[in-house]
Amino acid sequence: MNGIIEIEGMEFFAYHGCFEAEQIVGNKFTVYACLHYDCSQPAESDQITDALSYQTAYEIIAREMMKRSHLLEHVGQRMLNALYETFPQLTYAKIKISKMNPPLGGKIGSTSVTLEK
């Protein structure tokens, strides 16, 4: 049986960016995760130990957000790799990282990078 867990609206303050100011001042980011997995076992057992823990998924994402990187692609790749290493039942994952109010010289709500594996 296929299941999908979505974790929406995760907010972080981190220091990702190619510009020196971004590495010093930091910025607000939001993250969205979509995780497809085989949920046959937890659907039958009703046991948290059989489930793909969205608490653990959040902790992985938060940990990777705190590691400084120049590119959001690099952050997203680390997230995907760590999620797949932690959850053998994962069959597909998508991560969207948005940088709020990026310093591009104009009024911009956000820029985003989406990675899928």
Side-chain angles (χ1 to χ4, degrees):
M1 178 182 319
N2 294 318
I4 299 171
I5 290 176
E6 294 177 277
I7 308 173
E8 305 176 60
M10 292 176 273
E11 294 184 9
F12 302 96
F13 192 87
Y15 298 88
H16 308 302
C18 291
F19 299 116
E20 185 178 348
E22 293 177 294
Q23 294 279 324
I24 295 169
V25 176
N27 205 342
K28 181 179 172 185
F29 295 84
T30 62
V31 178
Y32 164 81
C34 179
L35 309 173
H36 293 219
Y37 67 107
D38 179 357
C39 69
S40 302
Q41 185 65 31
E44 285 292 321
S45 71
D46 196 28
Q47 297 297 314
I48 188 74
T49 54
D50 294 330
L52 190 153
S53 167
Y54 48 85
Q55 175 67 42
T56 302
Y58 171 79
E59 290 168 359
I60 289 167
I61 291 165
R63 181 185 70 224
E64 296 304 329
M65 278 302 292
M66 296 303 104
K67 297 178 186 174
R68 291 178 191 238
S69 293
H70 288 110
L71 300 176
L72 296 181
E73 291 88 344
H74 190 250
V75 180
Q77 177 181 292
R78 287 196 320 263
M79 288 175 184
L80 288 172
N81 289 343
L83 288 165
Y84 271 90
E85 287 172 15
T86 305
F87 302 116
Q89 68 271 47
L90 200 56
T91 59
Y92 165 85
K94 176 166 59 173
I95 297 287
K96 179 180 178 181
I97 306 169
S98 301
K99 181 184 289 189
M100 310 310 292
N101 304 306
L104 298 177
K107 182 175 168 113
I108 299 171
S110 67
T111 55
S112 301
V113 170
T114 302
L115 284 86
E116 302 176 53
K117 182 174 179 181

